[in-house]
Amino acid sequence: PEVDAWIAPSAIGEAPLATAGTGDPLMSRMWTALKGPSLCIPVSTGEQGLPLGAQLLALPGDDDRLLQVGQWIEHMLENP
């Protein structure tokens, strides 16, 4: 493929407190319906110190490639 992965917000805003549930799945609905693999990674924190995430997306069947991209991004975030 011409692209290894796409990146999109994983949620609208900061993660909710654990007692409030997992949050609104709006940002992942379309990709789930298309049966493409997705991987959420924490990239920052919000005003309350809770995670802000990014969602990595790939074509159906590209699970291994997506995990490789996720590992690369994790390494880059830990070693800027």
Side-chain angles (χ1 to χ4, degrees):
E2 293 182 29
V3 182
D4 290 328
W6 292 273
I7 189 166
S10 60
I12 299 173
E14 192 172 12
L17 293 173
T19 57
T22 59
D24 186 346
L26 175 69
M27 303 307 282
S28 62
R29 284 184 187 150
M30 180 178 70
W31 206 250
T32 299
L34 294 172
K35 301 188 186 308
S38 65
L39 175 66
C40 292
I41 56 171
V43 294
S44 186
T45 54
E47 292 179 12
Q48 297 180 29
L50 296 170
L52 291 171
Q55 182 175 210
L56 304 177
L57 311 163
L59 294 172
D62 272 352
D63 302 56
D64 289 341
R65 181 188 309 267
L66 184 63
L67 291 172
Q68 290 172 354
V69 170
Q71 287 176 326
W72 179 81
I73 290 175
E74 178 185 39
H75 176 76
M76 297 308 290
L77 290 171
E78 290 176 353
N79 304 292

